[in-house]
Amino acid sequence: MCDKKQLQGIRQLSNVYSHLPDDLQGPKRSLRQLGVNNMLLKGLLIMLLLGTNFVDCTEHKGHISVILVGATGDLAKKYLWQGLFHLYLNEADTGHSFIFYGGALSPQEKGEGVIFDVLKSLRCPGDVTPDRCALLKDQFLRLSRYRQLKTAENYTALNQDIQNTMSEEGLHEAGRLFYLSVPPFTYTDIARSINATCRPLPGAWLRVVLEKPFGHDYASAQQLATDLQLFFKEDEIYRIDHYLGKQTVEQILPFRRQNRKHLDPIWNREHVERVEIVLKETVDAKARTSFYEEYGVIRDVIQNHLTEILTSVSMEVPLNYSKSYDALQAKLEVMNALQSLDHSSAVIGQYQNYLAQVREELEKNSNFFTNTQTFAGVLVQIDNTRWEGVPFILTSGKALDERTAYVRVLFKDNSFCLQKETNGETDRTFCKRKQIIFHIGHGDLGFPAILVSRGLFKPKFPSRHWQEATELPSLHLFGQPLTDYYVYRPVKEMDAYSLLISNIFYGKKETFVTTENLLSSWTFWTPLLEILDRESPRVYPGGRENGQLLDFVIENGGLQFAAVEPLEIMGMEHKSSFASIHSTFLGNSMVSNWAEQLIEKLAQDIQLAAESAVQKSGVFHLALSGGSTPLALFQRLTKHHHGFPWKRTHLWLVDERCVPFTEPDSNFGNIEKYLLQHVRVPYINIHPMPVDRNQRICSEEDLGTEVYTKEISAHVSNSSFDMVLLGLGSDGHTASIFPGAQDGIEGDKSVLFTESPGQPHRRMSLSLSLINKACKVAVLVLGKGKHDIVTLISRAERNPMKWPIFGVNPTFGKLVWYIDYDALLK
């Protein structure tokens, strides 16, 4: 109830309001002109302008300061400011007063400019009228300010600013919300500053929000948790997993509770065949390789998002769902019941362009390889009476064929239907596969939804938030038309961060990750990660071209790729236990052995080719590729082939990096170091690529490619080398012809400049058309690092634009593959 003074104030304010001009753009000016300067009256006037009914007085519930640290970052600009604005939209007339601080490292003027641009782009939900939206945006803009938060002193000054604001306006403090949208390595220092000088006044709450990743493994997560516990209580920490704010995920537990009558008898091992929890992405890790090199797909997605979803699906529904503690304890019980994982529990993959992206973005050399997983499927089992023996399959990956996320609970099919089903018959759903699908988003469906097979039951939902979808697209989901399901979708779609920020405001901790639950998760995942970090993932081309390459099956209590044969190797002939294997690969001859024996065989074949050419024409023209692969071959030739006709040999380069010959990256520099310094090749028979002319490196104006083309034409009959030695890159490139290099693959140039994904980027290379004129082409492939690309090209469509090695096809000569066992069989 209002006292007499409050009622008098409201009447006075109403009178002021009635005399305001129709144009409401200047409420502050009008207040000053009418002599109203009381801060409380100003606040009430604003609320009247927002359309609040003041028949009853609304008690002021206290002042809340929201501090977004990292306010100029990508996440903040894309989601967090919008989420904070939605919080204000929902809470502006509930009795709290707010102020929003954006904090970052940028100086004041620069930071203010960034924040202002973000605030101008904020959007209102569709159910907010344009007038109200404009007014609330203006108010939110005036309540938001930027502070540089770089030092401990900055946090002290922030605290003083908050206290001054409350003192000037006669407000009491309800709480402070710090949202740390910053890298985890900064958490400890920021926590120390908040705890030392920026805690709220006694009686007010403190909530500190942390973004993942929460560690890299159990040890790092435990250390970070220990550091934070020095400064914050457990109930003050909110570790956010934005997938728990997805509307479908957030609805899993309410759905289970509201439909217990139907679910309790079937939500168990007796009726559930398996549970699939899937998050597929079409994008790759480009521009995020530094993060992915440290974390990979399991740490990025599966250990957190998909594991949290697993607990929501499988946990016992608490009797008192309104208590956050009960829900979190039920999740913890599931985590502690998960069976340990081993090597057979997972299959892993890496999309083919990932390595090249890492080399470019992290400036790694061509010898660098990585086992980072960009795809993983993991089989999880729960050791309790409800779920014993039911496989939970957690799957996620980059560069896949579609963007979608869902949970699919597939029930055992024990029905037999005798009557023939007629076309268009939809009422015999008892005979069809029964499943419940929590469709999180994207995919063909395009919206969040919960789908229940009509052969199960018609579900119940709170009508305020979810409604049955009446207009459905004519598509199939998991082999069945949408008409086979009851389909429910949200009445109003909400962004995950908006929902979670609201939960933070109200202290609903069940949608956040506690320290105990976090460490339990890392206890479960860390042993498997330590195993997989030492394993080579299967390479896949990406998108629709993956075909069945990543399909897997449950077998012998674990997972295996369905396509088990790594290569197509025909006509394998073993001459002896020590001799090389002679067979065919991609329709051409292949020689395989352990690396040392393979190099020995290749050196013998080169000498035989040299002797044959010298006998036939008096000279031997040999073109050599760069890189580290042929170095062992050079050493073999210098130490064991003293009868090699070096004086009649002309040495050419297949490709060269655009660096001075004295640089370690120079291909010619390595040939000189490991070969030319140890054999007697006449100086005039050595033909380095002219990348360094007129004291410039690879300048088009110096016509280096034309010069080398003319030099080849002048010395090599018909520009047909006697032998060309090539390598194979992990992305399918050969020479320095990289994927998409149309001129080098299809053009008529003999020598050209190319661009490499890795540094140094600029290269000079023989074209494939020139290479294909050779009498013999040898492709040397060594090491486990090449196993995945060998496997990939053995299966892939022969498209030279994607895998230039497919463009090597001698017109009249012979192609021979030299592949060691590590690359061939792993």
Side-chain angles (χ1 to χ4, degrees):
M1 295 294 294
C2 302
D3 59 29
K4 291 182 179 180
K5 289 185 178 180
Q6 287 174 321
L7 288 171
Q8 183 180 357
I10 291 174
R11 293 190 187 102
Q12 178 186 350
L13 187 56
S14 298
N15 184 52
V16 171
Y17 175 72
S18 66
H19 287 84
L20 283 175
D22 292 335
D23 181 3
L24 297 179
Q25 299 302 312
K28 283 188 174 181
R29 185 186 67 249
S30 301
L31 286 167
R32 287 196 302 270
Q33 291 172 348
L34 295 168
V36 180
N37 54 21
N38 182 279
M39 292 301 296
L40 178 60
L41 289 181
K42 289 182 181 180
L44 289 171
L45 174 59
I46 290 168
M47 291 179 186
L48 279 173
L49 291 174
L50 297 180
T52 306
N53 184 359
F54 280 97
V55 175
D56 296 320
C57 286
T58 301
E59 180 184 357
H60 184 260
K61 297 179 181 178
H63 182 71
I64 295 171
S65 304
V66 180
I67 303 97
L68 175 54
V69 185
T72 59
D74 289 340
L75 181 65
K77 289 188 286 188
K78 191 172 183 180
Y79 295 112
L80 302 184
W81 279 110
Q82 186 67 46
L84 294 177
F85 179 50
H86 279 186
L87 174 68
Y88 183 70
L89 286 175
N90 295 328
E91 304 298 331
D93 55 1
T94 60
H96 286 107
S97 59
F98 289 88
I99 192 165
F100 298 87
Y101 293 92
L105 300 177
S106 300
Q108 191 71 22
E109 184 176 350
K110 181 179 179 181
E112 286 177 347
V114 174
I115 297 301
F116 182 71
D117 289 340
V118 174
L119 297 181
K120 286 192 302 182
S121 65
L122 295 176
R123 307 174 307 278
C124 292
D127 57 353
V128 177
T129 64
D131 289 344
R132 180 174 169 80
C133 178
L135 199 57
L136 286 168
K137 280 183 65 174
D138 179 69
Q139 180 65 11
F140 185 75
L141 183 65
R142 288 186 282 119
L143 291 173
S144 301
R145 57 191 67 175
Y146 177 80
R147 298 286 306 216
Q148 185 180 36
L149 295 178
K150 193 173 183 179
T151 66
E153 291 74 19
N154 294 146
Y155 285 87
T156 303
L158 170 65
N159 180 65
Q160 190 60 52
D161 191 21
I162 293 172
Q163 292 191 15
N164 290 343
T165 298
M166 292 189 295
S167 176
E168 291 171 2
E169 301 192 12
L171 304 173
H172 71 272
E173 187 164 27
R176 295 186 192 181
L177 192 163
F178 283 86
Y179 197 122
L180 307 191
S181 180
V182 292
F185 68 83
T186 65
Y187 285 168
T188 302
D189 288 340
I190 294 173
R192 182 180 294 107
S193 296
I194 294 172
N195 183 62
T197 63
C198 214
R199 276 187 168 273
L201 297 173
W205 51 255
L206 171 66
R207 290 169 190 154
V208 181
V209 186
L210 308 174
E211 279 281 352
K212 79 175 185 72
F214 312 122
H216 178 268
D217 52 18
Y218 177 81
S220 58
Q222 185 181 47
Q223 182 61 56
L224 180 58
T226 300
D227 292 344
L228 292 172
Q229 287 170 340
L230 295 174
F231 308 110
F232 303 131
K233 302 173 184 177
E234 179 63 31
D235 62 2
E236 295 174 332
I237 300 174
Y238 286 72
R239 293 181 184 85
I240 197 166
D241 183 330
H242 79 274
Y243 250 73
L244 294 180
K246 300 282 186 180
Q247 285 176 284
T248 305
V249 176
E250 193 263 348
Q251 187 63 25
I252 291 175
L253 280 177
F255 171 83
R256 291 181 58 195
R257 185 180 72 253
Q258 290 156 7
N259 294 279
R260 294 185 81 151
K261 174 183 175 182
H262 301 289
L263 288 175
D264 278 354
I266 63 173
W267 206 254
N268 54 56
R269 62 180 181 174
E270 301 297 333
H271 295 86
V272 176
E273 180 181 311
R274 68 175 183 267
V275 179
E276 302 168 2
I277 306 174
V278 178
L279 195 167
K280 296 168 65 177
E281 297 183 89
T282 55
V283 298
D284 57 24
K286 191 172 184 179
R288 293 189 69 217
T289 55
S290 60
F291 172 84
Y292 242 71
E293 272 301 278
E294 185 174 359
Y295 291 94
V297 69
I298 295 179
R299 292 179 175 91
D300 181 35
V301 173
I302 298 178
Q303 178 271 329
N304 37 67
H305 301 332
L306 302 196
T307 303
E308 284 292 327
I309 294 173
L310 179 148
T311 61
S312 295
V313 172
S314 61
M315 64 184 273
E316 299 299 317
V317 179
L319 295 176
N320 189 346
Y321 182 73
S322 62
K323 289 187 176 180
S324 297
Y325 174 81
D326 291 351
L328 291 169
Q329 282 300 113
K331 286 187 173 185
L332 184 61
E333 289 175 7
V334 172
M335 285 301 310
N336 292 336
L338 298 181
Q339 292 184 10
S340 299
L341 302 172
D342 59 27
H343 181 274
S344 67
S345 301
V347 290
I348 55 175
Q350 181 188 101
Y351 69 90
Q352 66 170 24
N353 291 333
Y354 177 76
L355 178 60
Q357 291 171 352
V358 171
R359 287 175 175 173
E360 178 182 7
E361 294 178 14
L362 304 186
E363 299 182 354
K364 302 291 185 179
N365 61 37
S366 59
N367 296 326
F368 175 83
F369 293 97
T370 175
N371 288 335
T372 298
Q373 314 100 28
T374 61
F375 165 83
V378 185
L379 174 62
V380 177
Q381 302 272 3
I382 303 176
D383 189 11
N384 63 22
T385 54
R386 181 185 291 274
W387 297 112
E388 182 182 3
V390 177
F392 284 74
I393 300 171
L394 279 57
T395 305
S396 186
K398 298 279 190 181
L400 300 181
D401 62 319
E402 64 173 337
R403 182 186 184 190
T404 189
Y406 61 85
V407 180
R408 183 188 182 203
V409 181
L410 187 63
F411 292 89
K412 295 177 181 179
D413 186 8
N414 57 2
S415 60
F416 175 78
C417 296
L418 183 63
Q419 187 73 12
K420 177 183 177 181
E421 183 177 350
T422 61
N423 291 335
E425 189 172 7
T426 60
D427 58 345
R428 301 182 70 249
T429 53
F430 175 76
C431 302
K432 299 179 179 180
R433 291 305 302 266
K434 300 172 182 64
Q435 49 197 332
I436 295 176
I437 301 164
F438 300 94
H439 190 268
I440 299 169
H442 303 290
D444 292 335
L445 194 57
F447 56 83
I450 297 178
L451 302 90
V452 179
S453 291
R454 290 182 179 271
L456 287 171
F457 59 90
K458 184 169 184 178
K460 294 181 180 179
F461 286 88
S463 58
R464 289 191 306 115
H465 303 298
W466 286 72
Q467 62 186 1
E468 187 168 6
T470 54
E471 297 182 3
L472 297 174
S474 58
L475 58 85
H476 285 64
L477 205 60
F478 301 109
Q480 295 177 221
L482 289 184
T483 52
D484 285 355
Y485 303 94
Y486 296 108
V487 182
Y488 286 79
R489 63 183 301 176
V491 173
K492 181 175 70 173
E493 292 189 29
M494 286 185 61
D495 170 68
Y497 281 99
S498 295
L499 190 149
L500 290 173
I501 288 173
S502 176
N503 287 352
I504 296 164
F505 178 76
Y506 283 103
K508 296 180 179 180
K509 293 215 68 174
E510 64 269 18
T511 49
F512 299 89
V513 183
T514 66
T515 300
E516 194 173 12
N517 289 47
L518 173 69
L519 296 181
S520 179
S521 177
W522 277 119
T523 299
F524 173 70
W525 285 105
T526 297
L528 176 67
L529 288 166
E530 291 174 347
I531 294 170
L532 297 181
D533 286 346
R534 300 190 297 268
E535 295 293 318
S536 295
R538 171 172 287 194
V539 173
Y540 58 95
R544 294 187 179 276
E545 294 180 13
N546 293 336
Q548 287 77 49
L549 196 61
L550 298 180
D551 291 352
F552 53 84
V553 296
I554 302 173
E555 195 167 292
N556 299 323
L559 296 184
Q560 294 183 7
F561 281 118
V564 295
E565 291 295 327
L567 300 169
E568 176 188 334
I569 303 176
M570 301 181 298
M572 192 170 278
E573 176 188 342
H574 294 264
K575 292 192 174 180
S576 74
S577 58
F578 297 99
S580 299
I581 295 174
H582 293 257
S583 61
T584 59
F585 179 67
L586 298 177
N588 295 285
S589 298
M590 182 187 74
V591 181
S592 188
N593 205 327
W594 298 111
E596 184 176 350
Q597 288 76 23
L598 186 68
I599 291 293
E600 181 181 349
K601 171 61 177 170
L602 177 56
Q604 291 173 357
D605 290 349
I606 293 175
Q607 180 162 345
L608 289 174
E611 292 170 349
S612 175
V614 170
Q615 185 177 7
K616 181 179 178 180
S617 61
V619 293
F620 174 55
H621 290 282
L622 173 64
L624 298 172
S625 286
S628 60
T629 299
L631 299 184
L633 172 66
F634 298 161
Q635 293 174 338
R636 178 76 193 182
L637 288 170
T638 60
K639 294 180 180 179
H640 298 278
H641 290 263
H642 302 291
F644 196 99
W646 291 114
K647 290 184 179 181
R648 301 290 186 92
T649 298
H650 284 252
L651 292 179
W652 304 83
L653 266 69
V654 171
D655 61 336
E656 179 61 281
R657 298 178 173 96
C658 289
V659 296
F661 294 147
T662 54
E663 291 292 321
D665 285 331
S666 169
N667 290 340
F668 179 75
N670 284 327
I671 292 174
E672 182 183 38
K673 179 178 180 180
Y674 292 98
L675 180 64
L676 296 179
Q677 290 183 8
H678 308 282
V679 297
R680 295 185 177 183
V681 179
Y683 176 77
I684 59 173
N685 290 4
I686 301 171
H687 307 276
M689 281 186 160
V691 295
D692 189 354
R693 288 172 57 82
N694 302 321
Q695 298 183 338
R696 293 186 294 193
I697 301 295
C698 289
S699 172
E700 298 278 359
E701 298 174 1
D702 294 331
L703 305 177
T705 56
E706 288 85 346
V707 169
Y708 207 54
T709 300
K710 292 178 180 179
E711 188 174 355
I712 293 170
S713 299
H715 290 85
V716 183
S717 176
N718 298 319
S719 296
S720 175
F721 294 106
D722 295 300
M723 190 168 187
V724 174
L725 176 65
L726 299 176
L728 174 64
S730 298
D731 59 355
H733 84 266
T734 193
S736 278
I737 306 299
F738 295 91
Q742 187 167 359
D743 287 345
I745 296 169
E746 299 177 347
D748 56 3
K749 294 181 179 179
S750 295
V751 185
L752 70 159
F753 287 119
T754 67
E755 294 292 328
S756 164
Q759 293 188 349
H761 297 295
R762 189 81 160 156
R763 308 286 179 92
M764 184 183 290
S765 177
L766 304 184
S767 67
L768 296 187
S769 62
L770 180 61
I771 290 171
N772 285 334
K773 293 182 179 180
C775 298
K776 182 176 182 179
V777 178
V779 182
L780 178 61
V781 187
L782 301 176
K784 292 181 179 180
K786 298 296 175 67
H787 169 75
D788 293 325
I789 186 61
V790 170
T791 302
L792 178 63
I793 64 173
S794 73
R795 298 173 175 278
E797 175 188 2
R798 299 196 179 195
N799 185 343
M801 291 300 294
K802 292 188 176 180
W803 300 282
I805 190 65
F806 283 129
V808 179
N809 186 21
T811 308
F812 301 107
K814 183 180 182 181
L815 170 61
V816 180
W817 292 82
Y818 294 81
I819 309 177
D820 76 344
Y821 289 157
D822 282 335
L824 186 66
L825 305 173
K826 199 175 178 181

